[in-house]
Amino acid sequence: MSGVSEALFEPVIRLGVTGLSRAGKTVFITSLVANLLDRGRMPQFSAAPRIASAFLQPQPDDILPRFDYETHLAALTGAAPHWPASTRAISELRLSLRVQPSGFFGGLWGGLTGPRTIHLDIIDYPGEWLLDLALMGKTYADWSEATLERIAHRTQAQGFMAQARAEDAALRLDEPRAQSLAANFTAYLQAARAAGWSDCTPGRFLLPGDLAGSPVLTFAPLPKPASTPRGSLWREMDRRFEAYKSRVVRPFFRDHFSRIDRQIVLMDVLGAIHAGPMALEDMRRTMAEILGAFRPGQNGFLSSILLGKRVDKILFAATKADHLHHSQHPRLTAITEALLRDARDRAAFSGAQTQAMSLAALRATVEETRNHGGDTIDLVRGTLLETGKQAAMFAGILPDDPNHLLGPARKGEAAWLDADYSVMSFAPARLTLRPGDGPPHIRLDRAAEFLLTDRLG
Ligand SMILES: Nc1nc2c(ncn2[C@@H]2O[C@H](COP(=O)(O)OP(=O)(O)OP(=O)(O)O)[C@@H](O)[C@H]2O)c(=O)[nH]1
Ligand SMILES: [Mg+2]
C-alpha cells in the first residue's frame, strides 16, 4: 500500500531547460533552485505560500553526474562572485517540495494526507549538443550540401573549404585523409563558435567527451561526387554520419528529453542584437531548426521518441534582461516572440500552452535614471567583468516594432543602420542575502508560476 500511495502522491515534474551555449541554462537552474529553496523573492509565484518545505534529494538516475548546485551557487553568491564555467557534460538535480494541496481536492487530499511531496527533476547539458536536434531529419547528402553552402563565404571556413573542394569523395576511403578532413572541420567549428555563430553542428565535435577520436566523430561535409561506389570516402562518411545520429544524438534525446513535461527555452536575444543582424538571423534560423524537431506528426523527430507524451507548456525566455532598463523589457519580449513566431505557432498547434517573457536569472545590475541636458536616460549599473570597476550602461533603445530588427536581419544586412546597441559584461553583484531570500532575479517568480504552479495543486 505504501508503494501505491507513494506512486500516487509523489508526482514528478521533469523540467527541460533548453538553450544554445551561453544562453544562461546553468545560471537559470542554479538561481531557480536557490529561489525555490528560499522563496522570499518569489512574490509572483502563487504556490509559494503552500510550500511547507523544499529540499534537495538524491536524483533518480544513478549513472548521471549530479548537477553541482553548491559549487555553482557559491560561484554566484560567494565573497568574490563570478559566473560558473561553461558546461561540458550532462548532469541532473532533484528538488523535492512538500506542498499543501489547494482548493477542493486540496481539502479532500489535504484532509487525508496533509502536505504531499512533489519532485522537480532538472537536467543541465552543454548547449552545443542541442544543435544536433536539427541533424535528425537530414541525410548526409542534405547536411553536406546545406552546410557547405552556408559556410562557403565565412572567413573561418576557408581552410576547410579548400580541402573539401579538392577532395574526390568517389575515391576509396583513406583513413588519415578522413581524419584530416574531420580535424579541419572541427577547427572551423571552433573558430565559428568563437566568432559568435550559432549553427555549429555536429555539437559533439566541439565537446566530444569520451567519443574523441572515434569514427562517429571522424566525418565532415563533402561535395557529393557523381558516383559513390562501395568503399568510397563518401559512403563511409555517410555511414558515420548515420551512426552519429543513431548512436549519439538519438540516445541523448531519447533518454533525457522524452520524459519532459515542461520546457523553458532560453535565448540570449540581447546578445544577438548586440552582435548585429547576421547574428540575430543566425539565432532565429538555428532556433527554428531546433524547435522544428519538436513539431508534432511524422516529420518531428522528437514526437517519434515521445510516444504520445507531450510537453504541455513551453516558456520562451530572453535571458540577461538585467542589461536593459525594465521600461524596455516589453520590447525585448516582443522581439523574442517575433523571433520565434514559426516555432511558437507550431507548438501551439500541437496543444502546448506557450508564453514569452524577458528575465534575468541572476540580476547583476541596478537601475539608474540620469538627467542629461533636460532629458532623462534610463541606465543600468553594475560591476564590469573585465576591470571590476563600477559602470553605468545604456544599451540602446530597442524598436517598438520587432520587424525593424528582424527585417534587416533576414535581408542579411551587415550592420544596424539607424541604431547602436552596446553591451558590457557585468560580474554578478556582491550580495548579502537576508535569511529566507534567494539570489536577486528578474521574473524568475513569473517563470516558476507559468511552469510549475498548476502542477503543485
Ligand atoms: N547579467 C546577467 N548575465 C547572465 C545571466 N545569466 C547568464 N549570464 C551570462 O551568460 C553566461 C552564460 O551563462 P550560463 O548559465 O553558463 O550559460 P549556459 O546556457 O549554461 O551555457 P553552456 O553551459 O555553455 O551551454 C554567464 O557566464 C554570464 O556571463 C543573468 O541573469 N544576468
Ligand atoms: Mg551551462
Side-chain angles (χ1 to χ4, degrees):
M1 181 61 200
S2 77
V4 172
S5 64
E6 264 193 21
L8 276 176
F9 294 124
E10 294 200 354
V12 176
I13 308 171
R14 287 181 69 95
L15 176 63
V17 180
T18 297
L20 301 177
S21 73
R22 316 312 286 151
K25 297 178 296 298
T26 301
V27 174
F28 174 83
I29 295 169
T30 306
S31 186
L32 179 69
V33 169
N35 278 290
L36 288 173
L37 287 168
D38 287 305
R39 296 170 296 283
R41 283 192 218 254
M42 301 288 271
Q44 303 291 331
F45 177 40
S46 67
R50 290 189 288 105
I51 298 178
S53 61
F55 46 97
L56 294 171
Q57 286 228 81
Q59 67 198 45
D61 293 280
D62 286 332
I63 58 165
L64 285 186
R66 180 176 179 276
F67 178 78
D68 197 355
Y69 169 72
E70 291 77 8
T71 303
H72 297 323
L73 186 70
L76 294 172
T77 61
H82 56 278
W83 301 105
S86 185
T87 306
R88 305 194 61 83
I90 185 166
S91 64
E92 182 180 51
L93 191 71
R94 165 167 281 192
L95 174 74
S96 299
L97 304 168
R98 296 276 294 157
V99 186
Q100 192 65 48
S102 68
F104 171 73
F105 285 107
L108 196 63
W109 295 127
L112 289 175
T113 62
R116 60 175 185 160
T117 303
I118 299 172
H119 306 292
L120 178 64
D121 289 352
I122 312 179
I123 298 267
D124 191 26
Y125 59 91
E128 283 84 353
W129 296 0
L130 181 68
L131 294 168
D132 288 337
L133 260 186
L135 295 184
M136 289 309 293
K138 296 198 174 107
T139 63
Y140 174 62
D142 296 340
W143 175 74
S144 282
E145 195 183 328
T147 304
L148 293 176
E149 195 184 304
R150 213 174 49 234
I151 72 175
H153 299 293
R154 294 187 188 172
T155 46
Q156 304 84 4
Q158 294 317 306
F160 171 74
M161 284 305 296
Q163 190 186 12
R165 285 199 190 101
E167 200 59 59
D168 182 354
L171 297 181
R172 212 172 164 70
L173 164 75
D174 172 45
E175 191 61 37
R177 293 193 40 184
Q179 284 171 3
S180 155
L181 282 161
N184 277 328
F185 187 60
T186 306
Y188 152 70
L189 289 174
Q190 277 158 350
R193 179 178 58 173
W197 292 100
S198 300
D199 55 357
C200 303
T201 59
R204 305 275 168 148
F205 280 44
L206 290 167
L207 281 175
D210 293 349
L211 295 172
S214 66
V216 282
L217 299 195
T218 313
F219 65 91
L222 289 173
K224 188 169 185 183
S227 71
T228 56
R230 191 172 296 177
S232 62
L233 176 63
W234 177 272
R235 285 261 194 125
E236 182 60 15
M237 292 263 165
D238 187 349
R239 196 190 64 73
R240 292 178 188 186
F241 178 82
E242 291 302 327
Y244 182 79
K245 279 165 44 185
S246 65
R247 303 284 299 277
V248 179
V249 185
R250 191 181 171 88
F252 173 67
F253 288 101
R254 182 195 59 216
D255 295 346
H256 306 300
F257 275 56
S258 61
R259 288 172 291 153
I260 284 173
D261 315 274
R262 298 286 155 98
Q263 170 99 254
I264 178 163
V265 179
L266 301 174
M267 275 167 307
D268 184 4
V269 178
L270 266 182
I273 295 172
H274 290 138
M278 291 205 285
L280 190 63
E281 175 60 9
D282 173 46
M283 172 183 273
R284 189 198 66 76
R285 198 185 46 218
T286 305
M287 291 310 294
E289 276 203 30
I290 289 168
L291 295 168
F294 286 87
R295 123 192 104 207
Q298 296 169 337
N299 300 333
F301 155 68
L302 280 180
S303 63
S304 71
I305 56 172
L306 295 179
L307 302 172
K309 183 166 169 29
R310 203 165 54 197
V311 177
D312 54 3
K313 280 188 157 194
I314 308 178
L315 180 60
F316 296 104
T319 52
K320 314 182 195 177
D322 55 331
H323 285 107
L324 208 58
H325 191 269
H326 77 270
S327 54
Q328 292 206 54
H329 289 179
R331 293 181 179 192
L332 181 61
T333 304
I335 293 164
T336 307
E337 268 175 334
L339 201 63
L340 290 166
R341 187 62 210 257
D342 301 342
R344 269 192 84 178
D345 285 353
R346 272 200 296 261
F349 180 66
S350 76
Q353 196 186 335
T354 65
Q355 194 176 319
M357 67 173 66
S358 301
L359 57 79
L362 190 90
R363 179 178 197 151
T365 64
V366 290
E367 297 190 341
E368 194 172 292
T369 300
R370 280 195 199 165
N371 273 314
H372 190 77
D375 290 334
T376 56
I377 9 177
D378 293 326
L379 307 165
V380 296
R381 162 183 291 283
T383 310
L384 287 181
L385 200 55
E386 280 196 353
T387 59
K389 296 215 170 79
Q390 283 275 312
M393 172 175 86
F394 177 65
I397 295 182
L398 294 176
D400 220 0
D401 178 357
N403 284 322
H404 289 171
L405 294 180
L406 296 190
R410 275 189 200 254
K411 282 202 216 102
E413 310 272 346
W416 304 120
L417 270 186
D418 47 0
D420 197 11
Y421 301 105
S422 61
V423 73
M424 290 174 174
S425 290
F426 294 111
R430 193 173 298 182
L431 303 169
T432 18
L433 295 181
R434 279 179 316 190
D437 273 4
H441 61 80
I442 299 172
R443 291 191 200 92
L444 210 51
D445 49 349
R446 287 189 187 270
E449 178 70 13
F450 177 78
L451 292 167
L452 305 177
T453 293
D454 64 312
R455 294 287 297 273
L456 300 178

